[in-house]
Amino acid sequence: MAKGSGLSFDPDRIGLFLHKPTVINSLLHHQEDKKGKHHNNYRRHLYYHHHHKLKQEEAPAAFMEMDSASAVVNKSNNNSRSSPPTTIQFPVNLNCSTHDDDQDDGPLPHNNSDHHQEMDFFADKKPKTDESKAATIPHPDADTKDLSGPTELGFNVNTGLHLLTANTSSDQSIVDDGISPHSDDKRTKSELAVLQAELERLNGENLRLREVLTQVSNNYNNLQMHLMTVMQQQPQQKQDHIKADNIGEGQEGKLPLEDNNNKHQQNSHGLMVPRQFMDLGLAAGATVETDEASLSSSEGRSGRERSRSPTNNVEASTGGSDGRDDSPEKGSQGWVPNKVPRLNSGSKNVDQATEATMRKARVSVRARSEAPMITDGCQWRKYGQKMAKGNPCPRAYYRCTMAAGCPVRKQVQRCAEDRTILITTYEGNHNHPLPPAAMAMASTTSSAARMLLSGSMPSADGLMNSNFLARTLLPCSSSMATISASAPFPTVTLDLTQNPNPLQFQRSPNQFHLPFPNAPQNFVGNPAALLPQIFGQALYNQSKFSGLQMSQDSDAAHLGHQVPQLPPLHQGQQNPLADTVTALTADPNFTAALAAAITTIIGNPQSTNAANNSSLNITTNTSNNNGSVTTSNNNSNGNNKVLNTSFPGN
DNA sequence: CGAGTTTGACCTGCGC
DNA sequence: GCGCAGGTCAAACTCG
Ligand SMILES: [Zn+2]
């Protein structure tokens, strides 16, 4: 089941995602949790009767529709150091141009069959293109049609928020003209002619710009990939030398090779994007710092190994003996168990610590979905399921299987409070090329993680972490995200559940909520694609406000690309919230993208549609709780279902 | 037969 | 040290 559909990469990043996600619906039968005292073993396995391979049918869910909840994660902040956040490419594309969704207004009664939106997200392939166009055209932006018309690139590229601006202006002018037949026809005509000429010019320019933008984006993407690859490799090599002693896992040594191999594969395949390393853990950042190697290497080490051999060295030599390492999947890269071993840290130094932190960084996405999993474009293999304390719903553990040894894992669990809410937590960095659909999510999560880590950076003020991040994030996204940079697992929670009542969020001091007037109704497109931008914006803001250097040079390189894109959202507006909101809402692309993003991510569009006010919530939570803490939030919130996604804890 | 899932066992960290 | 909880492993099983 866990498969994302295989995707081919469309070199044109901006292009529509071709990917067609399979919709998985299986029902979780809900049973009462047997009881707390039992061992894990006993508690598990209760659910997922079906669970098996993607079935399209939706189970009549037993899920009750509940109001949205916002999740708040509480954890202590104590991150050790994290490297400054760096880049990440935010796919600007947001094909979202397809904001179609006009229709969603109605309660979408689709039950089973409507995968439509989700499908749109990934699937929009060529066939859909037409649709998207159509959708787009009707849009207020009259110009869009013009834009779309000319080149294929046209529709897809939403990237140009700027462009829109131009268009809109032109539109208005046109409209005005038409509207007002004045006495001076001549004058009017002349003006009209001028305006039309101007419009044409603008359109032409717009097209050119789009093409350029597309080109640039592609180039950038490629460069970034290469850079990432290089960075990845170097550190590893370093580590080999440095860490050889301690670690001795042997896996590390492999990594470089793997990378190379991967590259080759990429080349051969061509479809895939030049290797991307999405690092939730800020791998990139770490890289900058130099340790990065740790990433891969660290990742490489399997938790098991750790556990088994506290002393790496010994194990290393013998360790292979287990044979676990040997296995391609595990061995090559190993999963790093979440628990970061503090073992070596002492000598291992900072690098490892950083590494650990990075690795741990998690991004959880809360979305309403009846589907067992959200389609994120990746292929996942389930490796475990367990009953989590305090939640009758089992938690499923998945690993990325798109590439052997990919360290990325995710946990999927339904919110105890509201079973319609599916909480997906991502951890780790992909060490392989990702299909566009997957990239969207990966970049999103990596961005979020980066933000998280950046905020948690030792260098940065502790204060800055929570509130500051929240503020910075919010303006752009108006979504609720909970950021907890807590010790065990710094986690960013993206709450994509719709929240009818913004006020609910106010409860928590740290949280911000901005309603998104426009966005909500329409969905289609790629939510995931959108998110990265949101976070990117957040990062941008953060750096901007805090004066925090977006970190390192290397980052700068990335940021240089990314940041520029972001500003458009704010264009002109100085007020953080109001203006931003206005600007955002005004921007059809953005709203559409947002809506699309939300919808897409959510496995089940229905629920999404159902809610009129969709909002993307970003909340920052600074509270410090131990990982063990089971969220206090749950208790605290009666109505609101506040979910605690503190992962370690639940 | 291979890939993926199920699920009991195992490991580790943490709190008491 | 004990028990709990989270996380992972891997044999057995299922499915296509
Ligand atoms: Zn992966």
Side-chain angles (χ1 to χ4, degrees):
Chain A
M1 99 169 307
K3 294 182 168 183
S5 48
L7 301 179
S8 58
F9 173 68
D10 179 355
D12 173 357
R13 187 158 99 137
I14 292 167
L16 296 179
F17 289 169
L18 302 181
H19 176 62
K20 183 169 270 192
T22 53
V23 174
I24 299 166
N25 294 334
S26 62
L27 244 233
L28 297 182
H29 288 271
H30 183 237
Q31 290 179 344
E32 293 308 291
D33 177 354
K34 269 21 180 238
K35 209 343 2 91
K37 291 257 182 133
H38 299 314
H39 238 323
N40 294 337
N41 298 337
Y42 300 128
R43 289 182 301 183
R44 289 183 292 183
H45 315 304
L46 297 180
Y47 305 78
Y48 289 98
H49 291 266
H50 288 301
H51 175 30
H52 233 336
K53 318 288 179 133
L54 326 166
K55 305 275 180 162
Q56 243 190 290
E57 306 194 61
E58 286 193 3
F63 307 138
M64 310 161 71
E65 203 38 32
M66 305 193 51
D67 31 353
S68 63
S70 64
V72 174
V73 174
N74 294 335
K75 289 183 179 182
S76 60
N77 296 339
N78 42 351
N79 297 340
S80 42
R81 30 171 329 135
S82 59
S83 58
T86 34
T87 79
I88 288 187
Q89 57 189 31
F90 304 92
V92 177
N93 56 354
L94 310 186
N95 327 338
C96 325
S97 47
T98 60
H99 359 290
D100 44 4
D101 328 359
D102 4 318
Q103 341 19 8
D104 48 335
D105 42 333
L108 295 175
H110 332 304
N111 270 339
N112 305 335
S113 55
D114 65 300
H115 38 354
H116 60 290
Q117 291 179 345
E118 188 176 17
M119 301 307 282
D120 288 350
F121 171 19
F122 294 102
D124 13 353
K125 239 335 188 110
K126 312 236 160 150
K128 289 243 175 188
T129 309
D130 295 347
E131 293 178 354
S132 65
K133 272 186 195 171
T136 307
I137 294 168
H139 210 280
D141 303 345
D143 291 350
T144 55
K145 63 186 173 187
D146 293 346
L147 297 176
S148 64
T151 54
E152 291 177 354
L153 295 178
F155 339 113
N156 298 340
V157 178
N158 289 334
T159 57
L161 295 177
H162 306 287
L163 297 178
L164 289 179
T165 302
N167 291 342
T168 55
S169 65
S170 65
D171 287 348
Q172 287 179 341
S173 64
I174 292 169
V175 171
D176 293 347
D177 292 347
I179 293 170
S180 64
H182 294 294
S183 61
D184 327 303
D185 292 346
K186 288 182 181 180
R187 205 165 89 184
T188 301
K189 286 182 180 180
S190 64
E191 289 178 357
L192 179 60
V194 171
L195 291 174
Q196 287 179 340
E198 181 68 9
L199 178 60
E200 289 179 358
R201 185 181 68 80
L202 292 174
N203 287 339
E205 185 176 358
N206 195 342
L207 292 175
R208 285 198 308 273
L209 291 173
R210 287 191 177 209
E211 291 176 357
V212 171
L213 179 60
T214 299
Q215 188 67 36
V216 171
S217 295
N218 289 338
N219 291 340
Y220 167 66
N221 191 28
N222 291 336
L223 289 174
Q224 189 174 23
M225 294 300 94
H226 288 294
L227 178 61
M228 295 293 284
T229 301
V230 171
M231 291 173 68
Q232 179 83 15
Q233 290 177 346
Q234 288 179 341
Q236 289 177 345
Q237 291 176 347
K238 271 185 192 173
Q239 274 194 341
D240 289 345
H241 297 291
I242 297 168
K243 292 183 179 179
D245 319 355
N246 295 340
I247 295 168
E249 293 299 328
Q251 291 176 343
E252 293 176 354
K254 292 178 181 178
L255 294 178
L257 294 178
E258 288 180 354
D259 291 351
N260 291 341
N261 292 342
N262 290 343
K263 264 188 180 179
H264 293 295
Q265 289 177 346
Q266 291 174 344
N267 292 343
S268 65
H269 291 76
L271 294 178
M272 300 305 279
V273 175
R275 181 184 199 111
Q276 270 185 332
F277 296 90
M278 304 312 284
D279 28 351
L280 294 178
L282 286 188
T287 308
V288 172
E289 287 180 354
T290 69
D291 12 53
E292 254 10 5
S294 59
L295 289 184
S296 61
S297 67
S298 64
E299 291 174 352
R301 355 202 37 238
S302 63
R304 247 340 166 173
E305 293 175 353
R306 270 186 303 104
S307 63
R308 291 188 179 183
S309 59
T311 58
N312 294 341
N313 297 343
V314 174
E315 233 11 18
S317 58
T318 58
S321 64
D322 287 352
R324 291 177 184 173
D325 295 349
D326 295 350
S327 68
E329 289 181 345
K330 304 162 195 170
S332 62
Q333 290 228 338
W335 318 104
V336 175
N338 293 335
K339 347 171 162 186
V340 174
R342 300 161 180 205
L343 313 176
N344 310 342
S345 63
S347 63
K348 237 18 168 329
N349 35 12
V350 187
D351 290 350
Q352 281 193 340
T354 300
E355 171 184 330
T357 300
M358 304 199 19
R359 219 180 330 154
K360 288 180 179 180
R362 293 181 175 182
V363 175
S364 65
V365 175
R366 286 167 47 83
R368 287 180 182 281
S369 174
E370 290 180 358
M373 287 202 328
I374 59 176
T375 57
D376 51 18
C378 285
Q379 290 182 343
W380 302 95
R381 179 174 181 171
K382 187 176 184 178
Y383 66 89
Q385 178 173 316
K386 204 169 178 185
M387 294 303 300
K389 179 181 179 181
N391 189 339
C393 299
R395 177 182 300 163
Y397 299 89
Y398 296 89
R399 283 177 182 154
C400 175
T401 60
M402 292 189 73
C406 178
V408 175
R409 288 172 297 185
K410 76 173 180 180
Q411 296 177 2
V412 177
Q413 185 173 32
R414 287 194 176 277
C415 176
E417 302 293 327
D418 182 350
R419 293 192 185 155
T420 61
I421 296 172
L422 191 65
I423 301 167
T424 303
T425 302
Y426 295 89
E427 178 180 354
N429 322 318
H430 288 285
N431 60 358
H432 54 85
L434 295 171
M439 286 176 60
M441 179 59 79
S443 62
T444 297
T445 56
S446 65
S447 296
R450 231 168 238 158
M451 281 182 36
L452 174 64
L453 294 180
S454 66
S456 64
M457 292 184 354
S459 63
D461 291 349
L463 295 178
M464 160 187 161
N465 296 344
S466 61
N467 291 340
F468 180 77
L469 289 177
R471 287 174 202 158
T472 57
L473 288 176
L474 295 180
C476 59
S477 65
S478 79
S479 56
M480 296 290 289
T482 299
I483 297 170
S484 66
S486 59
F489 305 108
T491 302
V492 174
T493 300
L494 302 179
D495 187 349
L496 300 180
T497 60
Q498 296 173 349
N499 189 351
N501 183 1
L503 295 179
Q504 291 176 346
F505 295 98
Q506 292 177 346
R507 284 175 293 120
S508 119
N510 293 339
Q511 297 173 344
F512 282 67
H513 176 76
L514 297 178
F516 241 133
N518 295 343
Q521 274 92 2
N522 303 332
F523 300 75
V524 170
N526 182 345
L530 174 63
L531 294 177
Q533 188 166 11
I534 291 169
F535 284 95
Q537 181 68 44
L539 289 174
Y540 173 77
N541 290 342
Q542 180 177 352
S543 64
K544 175 173 150 191
F545 294 121
S546 64
L548 208 147
Q549 293 300 327
M550 247 347 223
S551 58
Q552 301 38 12
D553 319 356
S554 63
D555 288 352
H558 293 287
L559 293 178
H561 295 286
Q562 294 174 342
V563 170
Q565 293 173 343
L566 297 177
L569 293 176
H570 291 287
Q571 277 180 339
Q573 306 5 327
Q574 300 308 338
N575 287 344
L577 296 178
D579 290 350
T580 299
V581 171
T582 300
L584 291 177
T585 56
D587 184 345
N589 287 336
F590 182 84
T591 56
L594 178 61
I598 294 168
T599 302
T600 302
I601 288 173
I602 297 169
N604 185 349
Q606 283 181 324
S607 62
T608 303
N609 291 342
N612 290 342
N613 294 339
S614 64
S615 63
L616 189 89
N617 300 327
I618 293 173
T619 304
T620 300
N621 185 335
T622 56
S623 63
N624 296 336
N625 290 340
N626 292 346
S628 64
V629 174
T630 52
T631 59
S632 59
N633 293 344
N634 290 343
N635 295 343
S636 66
N637 299 337
N639 295 340
N640 298 340
K641 302 137 178 218
V642 171
L643 157 70
N644 277 334
T645 46
S646 59
F647 274 87
N650 294 355

